[in-house]
Amino acid sequence: MSNPPEAPARPGDPIAAIRTPALVVDLDLFEANVARMAAHADRLGVALRAHAKTHKSADIGRAQVAAGAVGLCCQKLSEAEALVDEGLDDILIANQVVGAARIERLVALSRRARIAVCVDHPGQVAALVAAGAEIEVLVELDCGSNRCGTTPEGAVALARMIEDAPGLRFGGLQSYYGRAQHIYDPDERARALEVSIALTARVRDAIRAEGIACDRVTGAGTGTFGIEGASGVYTEIQAGSYVFMDADYNRVRDGNGAPGGFTQSLYVLATVISTGPGRAVCDAGLKASSPDSGLPQVASPEGITLRGLSDEHGTLDDPEARLGLDDRVWLIPGHCDPTVNLHDWYVGIRGGAVETVWPVTARGRLY
Amino acid sequence: MSNPPEAPARPGDPIAAIRTPALVVDLDLFEANVARMAAHADRLGVALRAHAKTHKSADIGRAQVAAGAVGLCCQKLSEAEALVDEGLDDILIANQVVGAARIERLVALSRRARIAVCVDHPGQVAALVAAGAEIEVLVELDCGSNRCGTTPEGAVALARMIEDAPGLRFGGLQSYYGRAQHIYDPDERARALEVSIALTARVRDAIRAEGIACDRVTGAGTGTFGIEGASGVYTEIQAGSYVFMDADYNRVRDGNGAPGGFTQSLYVLATVISTGPGRAVCDAGLKASSPDSGLPQVASPEGITLRGLSDEHGTLDDPEARLGLDDRVWLIPGHCDPTVNLHDWYVGIRGGAVETVWPVTARGRLY
């Protein structure tokens, strides 16, 4: 087995002592984001089931629950296993779990914690029954992303199948519009959601018309929770990225600012290892910051922009030659979720020093 | 500390038992690639110093050395530390190592193995001297990538500075043209290399004109080693990706085929978890296969293409509805190096079964 890296800093260290590249959390801003989403959920009258796929961290999950979240979502069974091992005890696996070996693990996990899972195909329900699962099962509806999720007719049929299956409890409808999260224009985003919310309400009502209770409708993310939360249709929101934000979510507009008023709390801290004419090169590349949603942005120092990422290098435009060897560069990740999964540790800072380090509990739990 | 995932299979398992998503190596094809590059190096009369940033694996590094490689390259000090811990004992850190804490670690490592390092700035040489390093130091020349590396004049001055520094031994010139690796057209690639090789030769000669021995010129990668290796200028080639290949390197042409005749030996094995009209969704997304150089390609089954990756999902076009739940999909990574770093284990297969599992020894060693 590989030896996971030791923590890149110790509590009490000055920021200059953090080994780079490192994932750094500004704790004041992070805590404000956690509290702000809890307040949004209160105001909207919906439950917050924070998505742990963003942070993969037991420490952060506990902070969300302490602030009022009813539990967590995970995207992978193995993430849920890692978090249950750390004492988190109420997790919706907001995804399909397929295959006999995985279902066996799911059944075992459901005996240790309150676990729910999504289905979008009768075969998944049959497999749960065959494994003797006693578990809460939600039906996932495809409300526009054209990824996972069943059709409206399929959703009603699956709800009936779950309701009639021994051991299974129908836990409601999951309707997550992933594609809408990243529509930058607020009016365009609202129009897309109008369609998905109406569809979701129709399917919920069709399930109820079958005499099946459907008290829970779960979905929504950081880009859309305000609209779904106020819709009267959704009872639970699954946002995750709000704890950190990223360069892409900072491009999503909600009135005059980022959605929900969240602020950037996560950085990849890098060190300059080479300088040349008009450029500097730092030690954070593709293996330290995922490029899938655009390049990271340079938060500090001013006047520096990122030209590109290669495997182990970030090449910076530095027209005024501000950067020297061993200088630090603060990068805002392009996309927080896959960037977090590249790291083994968070370094939490406050007041100019390291306050804590947290393991990325479920790093690499892809299965 | 996070708990690294356990291996996704055991030796002797059938392929159907591999937990997904998993990094799978076809051992016959991998071994053929290792032998083929050793033969290329013999034929060209150059040393092979295989780049371990691709595979981050002690097992694979040992296989390369057993086939004739003189040693390995690493891109990060922490990679080299992890491989020295596993008994690899001749490593060039083909990159700049900056900062007092890192140089202290470098000095400690150089007492345990034959370690060399690159510089491109007088400050790095001064820092090595100040730390009392006794180490081999190469000068990195920027031969066209506009990333790390110094100017021709800077290279001569640095060689002189190293030659005169107590404790340091001048180890030659590193001249790596990263950008040229991925020029798909062979003629265009050859023209780019003509310029970089001529520059490299001039700088080598200018160093020699100062009365400094410059017996080693190291560089080249999987896309270019044939030209640099035949140039009479390079004495050592640093290719890495050839052991696996990837979708991007398979687009690079060398006559009628991929450069050097290497064949794809690495796959991300995924499982179908959802099906819908015209589509299927598998369990390998951005966290299982890096998208930086284009999407993964579907190697098998036929008739299936990848529509896109999201964090935990790969959405597949399946117009003929060939795929069902729990079916396996074999993906060729878009870019092998950052994809390997997402995984903790390789699963080595031969003859339809799992033969071995190897840890990704230096996974997450970014520092």
Side-chain angles (χ1 to χ4, degrees):
Chain A
M1 194 171 295
S2 69
N3 240 337
E6 287 179 20
R10 286 166 303 200
D13 276 350
I15 287 172
I18 300 171
R19 192 190 66 202
T20 65
L23 204 54
V24 176
V25 177
D26 181 313
L27 293 171
D28 286 334
L29 300 176
F30 160 78
E31 289 169 6
N33 284 343
V34 170
R36 185 179 287 268
M37 185 56 100
H40 279 305
D42 272 353
R43 174 180 57 80
L44 293 163
V46 295
L48 170 63
R49 180 173 288 280
H51 216 313
K53 83 185 184 72
T54 299
H55 57 69
K56 289 176 167 277
S57 157
D59 296 278
I60 294 176
R62 281 190 284 265
Q64 291 170 315
V65 170
V70 297
L72 301 178
C73 295
C74 285
Q75 205 68 348
K76 293 295 182 104
L77 171 60
S78 59
E79 275 177 355
E81 290 170 333
L83 295 177
V84 168
D85 284 348
E86 296 292 325
L88 280 305
D89 62 359
D90 187 343
I91 295 178
L92 164 62
I93 300 170
N95 200 1
Q96 285 65 45
V97 173
V98 166
R102 269 198 273 232
I103 289 185
E104 193 178 311
R105 285 167 38 214
L106 175 67
V107 169
L109 189 68
S110 73
R111 294 189 177 127
R112 300 170 51 206
R114 187 184 171 209
I115 303 292
V117 68
C118 289
V119 296
D120 67 358
H121 190 286
Q124 298 150 358
V125 181
L128 289 168
V129 171
E134 299 188 356
I135 195 170
E136 189 177 13
V137 182
L138 287 81
V139 171
E140 180 165 8
L141 173 70
D142 176 14
C143 67
S145 286
N146 209 10
R147 196 177 65 185
C148 297
T150 185
T151 59
E153 303 70 34
V156 176
L158 282 173
R160 165 58 56 208
M161 190 177 175
I162 296 164
E163 188 77 356
D164 294 344
L168 307 188
R169 299 183 298 285
F170 175 61
L173 198 59
Q174 170 165 300
S175 181
Y176 174 67
Y177 199 175
R179 196 176 284 183
Q181 305 305 318
H182 304 277
I183 300 175
Y184 299 155
D185 178 71
D187 296 332
E188 194 187 331
R189 195 162 68 253
R191 282 194 299 275
L193 288 166
E194 203 176 320
V195 176
S196 68
I197 292 169
L199 176 70
T200 303
R202 273 206 309 280
V203 173
R204 177 202 60 186
D205 293 345
I207 292 171
R208 287 177 173 167
E210 292 282 307
I212 301 169
C214 187
D215 297 333
R216 180 187 188 185
V217 176
T218 184
T222 295
T224 64
F225 75 93
I227 299 174
E228 284 138 332
S231 67
V233 174
Y234 283 77
T235 66
E236 188 177 270
I237 57 178
Q238 299 184 352
S241 301
Y242 73 91
V243 292
F244 298 143
M245 302 300 283
D246 57 32
D248 195 60
Y249 261 127
N250 290 331
R251 285 188 281 267
V252 175
R253 296 289 86 184
D254 185 12
N256 294 320
F262 299 105
T263 54
Q264 188 64 39
S265 70
L266 183 78
Y267 300 90
V268 172
L269 181 61
T271 299
V272 174
I273 61 164
S274 176
T275 59
R279 71 172 189 266
V281 180
C282 71
D283 60 357
L286 293 169
K287 296 178 187 172
S289 194
S290 181
D292 62 275
S293 301
L295 288 178
Q297 293 178 331
V298 180
S300 165
E302 282 185 19
I304 309 293
T305 53
L306 189 69
R307 189 186 291 176
L309 295 178
S310 44
D311 286 7
E312 282 87 3
H313 298 104
T315 304
L316 302 151
D317 276 314
D318 181 12
E320 299 174 26
R322 296 183 182 191
L323 291 171
L325 292 183
D326 208 23
D327 282 353
R328 296 295 183 278
V329 179
W330 296 77
L331 300 173
I332 297 174
H335 185 182
C336 54
D337 301 29
T339 295
V340 165
N341 185 55
L342 296 168
H343 294 265
D344 289 76
W345 296 92
Y346 294 97
V347 179
I349 61 169
R350 186 165 0 231
V354 174
E355 181 174 302
T356 188
V357 293
W358 294 325
V360 183
T361 316
R363 196 275 321 149
R365 299 286 177 142
L366 309 174
Y367 47 96
Chain B
M1 197 172 292
S2 69
N3 239 340
E6 287 179 19
R10 284 167 304 202
D13 276 350
I15 287 171
I18 300 171
R19 190 191 67 203
T20 65
L23 203 55
V24 177
V25 177
D26 182 312
L27 292 172
D28 287 334
L29 300 177
F30 159 79
E31 289 168 5
N33 285 342
V34 170
R36 183 180 288 268
M37 184 56 99
H40 280 305
D42 273 353
R43 173 179 58 78
L44 294 163
V46 294
L48 170 63
R49 180 173 289 280
H51 215 313
K53 83 184 186 72
T54 299
H55 56 68
K56 289 177 168 278
S57 157
D59 296 277
I60 293 176
R62 281 190 283 266
Q64 291 170 315
V65 170
V70 297
L72 301 178
C73 293
C74 285
Q75 204 67 347
K76 293 294 181 108
L77 171 61
S78 59
E79 276 177 355
E81 290 171 332
L83 294 176
V84 168
D85 284 348
E86 295 293 325
L88 280 305
D89 62 359
D90 187 342
I91 295 177
L92 164 62
I93 300 170
N95 200 0
Q96 285 65 44
V97 173
V98 165
R102 269 199 274 231
I103 289 184
E104 193 178 314
R105 284 166 40 213
L106 175 67
V107 169
L109 190 68
S110 72
R111 294 189 177 128
R112 299 169 51 205
R114 186 183 172 212
I115 302 293
V117 68
C118 288
V119 296
D120 67 358
H121 190 287
Q124 296 150 359
V125 181
L128 289 168
V129 172
E134 298 190 356
I135 194 169
E136 188 177 12
V137 182
L138 287 81
V139 171
E140 180 165 7
L141 174 69
D142 175 14
C143 67
S145 285
N146 209 10
R147 196 177 65 185
C148 296
T150 185
T151 59
E153 303 71 34
V156 177
L158 281 173
R160 166 59 55 205
M161 190 177 173
I162 296 163
E163 189 77 357
D164 293 345
L168 307 188
R169 299 184 299 286
F170 176 62
L173 199 58
Q174 171 165 298
S175 181
Y176 175 66
Y177 199 174
R179 196 176 283 182
Q181 304 306 317
H182 305 277
I183 300 176
Y184 300 154
D185 178 72
D187 296 331
E188 195 188 330
R189 196 162 66 253
R191 282 193 299 273
L193 288 166
E194 203 176 318
V195 177
S196 67
I197 292 170
L199 176 70
T200 303
R202 273 206 309 280
V203 173
R204 177 201 59 186
D205 293 345
I207 292 171
R208 287 177 173 168
E210 292 284 306
I212 302 169
C214 187
D215 297 333
R216 181 186 188 186
V217 176
T218 184
T222 295
T224 65
F225 76 92
I227 299 174
E228 284 137 332
S231 66
V233 175
Y234 283 77
T235 66
E236 186 177 271
I237 58 178
Q238 299 185 353
S241 300
Y242 72 92
V243 291
F244 298 142
M245 301 300 283
D246 57 32
D248 195 60
Y249 261 127
N250 290 332
R251 285 187 281 266
V252 176
R253 295 291 84 185
D254 185 12
N256 294 319
F262 299 104
T263 54
Q264 189 64 40
S265 70
L266 183 77
Y267 300 90
V268 172
L269 181 61
T271 300
V272 174
I273 61 163
S274 175
T275 59
R279 70 171 189 266
V281 180
C282 71
D283 61 357
L286 294 169
K287 295 178 188 172
S289 195
S290 181
D292 62 276
S293 301
L295 287 177
Q297 294 178 331
V298 180
S300 164
E302 282 184 20
I304 309 293
T305 52
L306 188 69
R307 190 186 291 175
L309 295 178
S310 44
D311 286 6
E312 282 86 3
H313 298 104
T315 304
L316 301 150
D317 275 313
D318 181 13
E320 298 174 28
R322 296 183 182 192
L323 291 171
L325 292 184
D326 208 23
D327 282 354
R328 296 295 183 278
V329 179
W330 295 77
L331 299 172
I332 297 174
H335 185 181
C336 54
D337 301 28
T339 296
V340 164
N341 185 54
L342 295 168
H343 294 265
D344 289 76
W345 296 93
Y346 294 97
V347 179
I349 61 169
R350 187 166 359 234
V354 175
E355 180 173 302
T356 187
V357 292
W358 294 326
V360 183
T361 317
R363 196 274 322 148
R365 299 283 178 146
L366 311 173
Y367 46 95

PDB file of all heavy atoms in Angstrom, chain A residues 42-61:
ATOM      1  N   ASP A  42     -32.849  27.463   6.818  1.00  0.00           N
ATOM      2  CA  ASP A  42     -33.868  27.882   7.793  1.00  0.00           C
ATOM      3  C   ASP A  42     -34.883  28.821   7.138  1.00  0.00           C
ATOM      4  O   ASP A  42     -36.095  28.636   7.263  1.00  0.00           O
ATOM      5  CB  ASP A  42     -33.196  28.636   8.951  1.00  0.00           C
ATOM      6  CG  ASP A  42     -32.733  27.686  10.050  1.00  0.00           C
ATOM      7  OD1 ASP A  42     -33.045  26.477   9.969  1.00  0.00           O
ATOM      8  OD2 ASP A  42     -32.052  28.159  10.982  1.00  0.00           O
ATOM      9  N   ARG A  43     -34.370  29.831   6.478  1.00  0.00           N
ATOM     10  CA  ARG A  43     -35.219  30.843   5.846  1.00  0.00           C
ATOM     11  C   ARG A  43     -36.142  30.213   4.805  1.00  0.00           C
ATOM     12  O   ARG A  43     -37.322  30.552   4.694  1.00  0.00           O
ATOM     13  CB  ARG A  43     -34.305  31.894   5.194  1.00  0.00           C
ATOM     14  CG  ARG A  43     -34.992  32.958   4.364  1.00  0.00           C
ATOM     15  CD  ARG A  43     -33.965  33.949   3.775  1.00  0.00           C
ATOM     16  NE  ARG A  43     -32.933  33.335   2.953  1.00  0.00           N
ATOM     17  CZ  ARG A  43     -33.080  32.966   1.673  1.00  0.00           C
ATOM     18  NH1 ARG A  43     -34.234  33.139   1.066  1.00  0.00           N
ATOM     19  NH2 ARG A  43     -32.075  32.426   1.009  1.00  0.00           N
ATOM     20  N   LEU A  44     -35.584  29.245   4.046  1.00  0.00           N
ATOM     21  CA  LEU A  44     -36.355  28.611   2.971  1.00  0.00           C
ATOM     22  C   LEU A  44     -37.283  27.524   3.505  1.00  0.00           C
ATOM     23  O   LEU A  44     -38.169  27.047   2.790  1.00  0.00           O
ATOM     24  CB  LEU A  44     -35.400  28.000   1.934  1.00  0.00           C
ATOM     25  CG  LEU A  44     -34.556  29.002   1.125  1.00  0.00           C
ATOM     26  CD1 LEU A  44     -33.373  28.302   0.452  1.00  0.00           C
ATOM     27  CD2 LEU A  44     -35.421  29.724   0.091  1.00  0.00           C
ATOM     28  N   GLY A  45     -37.065  27.100   4.754  1.00  0.00           N
ATOM     29  CA  GLY A  45     -37.901  26.045   5.316  1.00  0.00           C
ATOM     30  C   GLY A  45     -37.631  24.682   4.712  1.00  0.00           C
ATOM     31  O   GLY A  45     -38.542  23.868   4.546  1.00  0.00           O
ATOM     32  N   VAL A  46     -36.382  24.429   4.354  1.00  0.00           N
ATOM     33  CA  VAL A  46     -36.011  23.116   3.806  1.00  0.00           C
ATOM     34  C   VAL A  46     -34.879  22.535   4.643  1.00  0.00           C
ATOM     35  O   VAL A  46     -34.166  23.253   5.355  1.00  0.00           O
ATOM     36  CB  VAL A  46     -35.567  23.209   2.324  1.00  0.00           C
ATOM     37  CG1 VAL A  46     -36.723  23.637   1.439  1.00  0.00           C
ATOM     38  CG2 VAL A  46     -34.377  24.164   2.169  1.00  0.00           C
ATOM     39  N   ALA A  47     -34.737  21.225   4.557  1.00  0.00           N
ATOM     40  CA  ALA A  47     -33.615  20.563   5.220  1.00  0.00           C
ATOM     41  C   ALA A  47     -32.361  20.728   4.366  1.00  0.00           C
ATOM     42  O   ALA A  47     -32.434  20.764   3.137  1.00  0.00           O
ATOM     43  CB  ALA A  47     -33.925  19.082   5.408  1.00  0.00           C
ATOM     44  N   LEU A  48     -31.231  20.844   5.031  1.00  0.00           N
ATOM     45  CA  LEU A  48     -29.943  20.843   4.330  1.00  0.00           C
ATOM     46  C   LEU A  48     -29.287  19.480   4.547  1.00  0.00           C
ATOM     47  O   LEU A  48     -29.052  19.064   5.685  1.00  0.00           O
ATOM     48  CB  LEU A  48     -29.036  21.953   4.880  1.00  0.00           C
ATOM     49  CG  LEU A  48     -27.572  21.901   4.404  1.00  0.00           C
ATOM     50  CD1 LEU A  48     -27.473  22.077   2.898  1.00  0.00           C
ATOM     51  CD2 LEU A  48     -26.732  22.960   5.130  1.00  0.00           C
ATOM     52  N   ARG A  49     -29.059  18.776   3.444  1.00  0.00           N
ATOM     53  CA  ARG A  49     -28.286  17.526   3.490  1.00  0.00           C
ATOM     54  C   ARG A  49     -27.039  17.795   2.652  1.00  0.00           C
ATOM     55  O   ARG A  49     -27.025  17.642   1.439  1.00  0.00           O
ATOM     56  CB  ARG A  49     -29.116  16.359   2.949  1.00  0.00           C
ATOM     57  CG  ARG A  49     -28.386  15.027   2.972  1.00  0.00           C
ATOM     58  CD  ARG A  49     -29.303  13.874   2.586  1.00  0.00           C
ATOM     59  NE  ARG A  49     -30.265  13.571   3.626  1.00  0.00           N
ATOM     60  CZ  ARG A  49     -30.004  12.844   4.723  1.00  0.00           C
ATOM     61  NH1 ARG A  49     -28.792  12.335   4.908  1.00  0.00           N
ATOM     62  NH2 ARG A  49     -30.937  12.633   5.615  1.00  0.00           N
ATOM     63  N   ALA A  50     -26.009  18.255   3.316  1.00  0.00           N
ATOM     64  CA  ALA A  50     -24.836  18.790   2.621  1.00  0.00           C
ATOM     65  C   ALA A  50     -24.113  17.682   1.860  1.00  0.00           C
ATOM     66  O   ALA A  50     -23.957  16.561   2.361  1.00  0.00           O
ATOM     67  CB  ALA A  50     -23.897  19.441   3.635  1.00  0.00           C
ATOM     68  N   HIS A  51     -23.650  18.009   0.656  1.00  0.00           N
ATOM     69  CA  HIS A  51     -23.004  16.983  -0.163  1.00  0.00           C
ATOM     70  C   HIS A  51     -21.527  16.872   0.199  1.00  0.00           C
ATOM     71  O   HIS A  51     -20.753  17.816   0.029  1.00  0.00           O
ATOM     72  CB  HIS A  51     -23.162  17.268  -1.648  1.00  0.00           C
ATOM     73  CG  HIS A  51     -23.323  16.001  -2.432  1.00  0.00           C
ATOM     74  ND1 HIS A  51     -22.500  14.903  -2.246  1.00  0.00           N
ATOM     75  CD2 HIS A  51     -24.224  15.629  -3.363  1.00  0.00           C
ATOM     76  CE1 HIS A  51     -22.895  13.918  -3.054  1.00  0.00           C
ATOM     77  NE2 HIS A  51     -23.941  14.332  -3.732  1.00  0.00           N
ATOM     78  N   ALA A  52     -21.164  15.693   0.679  1.00  0.00           N
ATOM     79  CA  ALA A  52     -19.787  15.456   1.111  1.00  0.00           C
ATOM     80  C   ALA A  52     -18.856  15.092  -0.033  1.00  0.00           C
ATOM     81  O   ALA A  52     -17.651  14.973   0.177  1.00  0.00           O
ATOM     82  CB  ALA A  52     -19.755  14.355   2.172  1.00  0.00           C
ATOM     83  N   LYS A  53     -19.388  14.929  -1.246  1.00  0.00           N
ATOM     84  CA  LYS A  53     -18.488  14.650  -2.376  1.00  0.00           C
ATOM     85  C   LYS A  53     -17.544  15.823  -2.600  1.00  0.00           C
ATOM     86  O   LYS A  53     -16.472  15.656  -3.164  1.00  0.00           O
ATOM     87  CB  LYS A  53     -19.271  14.327  -3.639  1.00  0.00           C
ATOM     88  CG  LYS A  53     -19.760  15.519  -4.443  1.00  0.00           C
ATOM     89  CD  LYS A  53     -20.624  15.083  -5.612  1.00  0.00           C
ATOM     90  CE  LYS A  53     -21.040  16.251  -6.497  1.00  0.00           C
ATOM     91  NZ  LYS A  53     -19.937  16.790  -7.311  1.00  0.00           N
ATOM     92  N   THR A  54     -17.974  17.023  -2.216  1.00  0.00           N
ATOM     93  CA  THR A  54     -17.110  18.201  -2.362  1.00  0.00           C
ATOM     94  C   THR A  54     -15.877  18.078  -1.485  1.00  0.00           C
ATOM     95  O   THR A  54     -14.751  18.264  -1.939  1.00  0.00           O
ATOM     96  CB  THR A  54     -17.880  19.471  -1.949  1.00  0.00           C
ATOM     97  OG1 THR A  54     -19.000  19.616  -2.801  1.00  0.00           O
ATOM     98  CG2 THR A  54     -16.994  20.701  -2.032  1.00  0.00           C
ATOM     99  N   HIS A  55     -16.098  17.801  -0.204  1.00  0.00           N
ATOM    100  CA  HIS A  55     -15.003  17.938   0.768  1.00  0.00           C
ATOM    101  C   HIS A  55     -14.427  16.618   1.234  1.00  0.00           C
ATOM    102  O   HIS A  55     -13.292  16.570   1.689  1.00  0.00           O
ATOM    103  CB  HIS A  55     -15.442  18.785   1.962  1.00  0.00           C
ATOM    104  CG  HIS A  55     -16.665  18.271   2.684  1.00  0.00           C
ATOM    105  ND1 HIS A  55     -16.653  17.112   3.417  1.00  0.00           N
ATOM    106  CD2 HIS A  55     -17.913  18.774   2.783  1.00  0.00           C
ATOM    107  CE1 HIS A  55     -17.847  16.924   3.935  1.00  0.00           C
ATOM    108  NE2 HIS A  55     -18.653  17.914   3.563  1.00  0.00           N
ATOM    109  N   LYS A  56     -15.195  15.531   1.186  1.00  0.00           N
ATOM    110  CA  LYS A  56     -14.714  14.200   1.563  1.00  0.00           C
ATOM    111  C   LYS A  56     -14.101  14.191   2.959  1.00  0.00           C
ATOM    112  O   LYS A  56     -13.211  13.373   3.241  1.00  0.00           O
ATOM    113  CB  LYS A  56     -13.686  13.689   0.531  1.00  0.00           C
ATOM    114  CG  LYS A  56     -14.314  13.314  -0.825  1.00  0.00           C
ATOM    115  CD  LYS A  56     -13.276  12.900  -1.833  1.00  0.00           C
ATOM    116  CE  LYS A  56     -13.861  12.240  -3.067  1.00  0.00           C
ATOM    117  NZ  LYS A  56     -14.130  10.810  -2.893  1.00  0.00           N
ATOM    118  N   SER A  57     -14.585  15.041   3.827  1.00  0.00           N
ATOM    119  CA  SER A  57     -13.945  15.260   5.127  1.00  0.00           C
ATOM    120  C   SER A  57     -14.909  15.022   6.275  1.00  0.00           C
ATOM    121  O   SER A  57     -15.976  15.644   6.340  1.00  0.00           O
ATOM    122  CB  SER A  57     -13.442  16.708   5.189  1.00  0.00           C
ATOM    123  OG  SER A  57     -13.294  17.133   6.530  1.00  0.00           O
ATOM    124  N   ALA A  58     -14.522  14.162   7.212  1.00  0.00           N
ATOM    125  CA  ALA A  58     -15.345  13.946   8.403  1.00  0.00           C
ATOM    126  C   ALA A  58     -15.421  15.221   9.239  1.00  0.00           C
ATOM    127  O   ALA A  58     -16.481  15.549   9.792  1.00  0.00           O
ATOM    128  CB  ALA A  58     -14.769  12.798   9.232  1.00  0.00           C
ATOM    129  N   ASP A  59     -14.309  15.965   9.334  1.00  0.00           N
ATOM    130  CA  ASP A  59     -14.313  17.196  10.139  1.00  0.00           C
ATOM    131  C   ASP A  59     -15.316  18.204   9.581  1.00  0.00           C
ATOM    132  O   ASP A  59     -16.063  18.830  10.338  1.00  0.00           O
ATOM    133  CB  ASP A  59     -12.906  17.806  10.157  1.00  0.00           C
ATOM    134  CG  ASP A  59     -11.909  16.895  10.852  1.00  0.00           C
ATOM    135  OD1 ASP A  59     -11.862  16.918  12.093  1.00  0.00           O
ATOM    136  OD2 ASP A  59     -11.217  16.130  10.162  1.00  0.00           O
ATOM    137  N   ILE A  60     -15.319  18.363   8.270  1.00  0.00           N
ATOM    138  CA  ILE A  60     -16.225  19.348   7.675  1.00  0.00           C
ATOM    139  C   ILE A  60     -17.663  18.849   7.753  1.00  0.00           C
ATOM    140  O   ILE A  60     -18.584  19.614   8.031  1.00  0.00           O
ATOM    141  CB  ILE A  60     -15.780  19.667   6.233  1.00  0.00           C
ATOM    142  CG1 ILE A  60     -14.425  20.381   6.282  1.00  0.00           C
ATOM    143  CG2 ILE A  60     -16.828  20.509   5.509  1.00  0.00           C
ATOM    144  CD1 ILE A  60     -13.811  20.685   4.931  1.00  0.00           C
ATOM    145  N   GLY A  61     -17.867  17.551   7.544  1.00  0.00           N
ATOM    146  CA  GLY A  61     -19.208  16.994   7.695  1.00  0.00           C
ATOM    147  C   GLY A  61     -19.764  17.235   9.095  1.00  0.00           C
ATOM    148  O   GLY A  61     -20.924  17.613   9.266  1.00  0.00           O
TER     149      GLY A  61
END
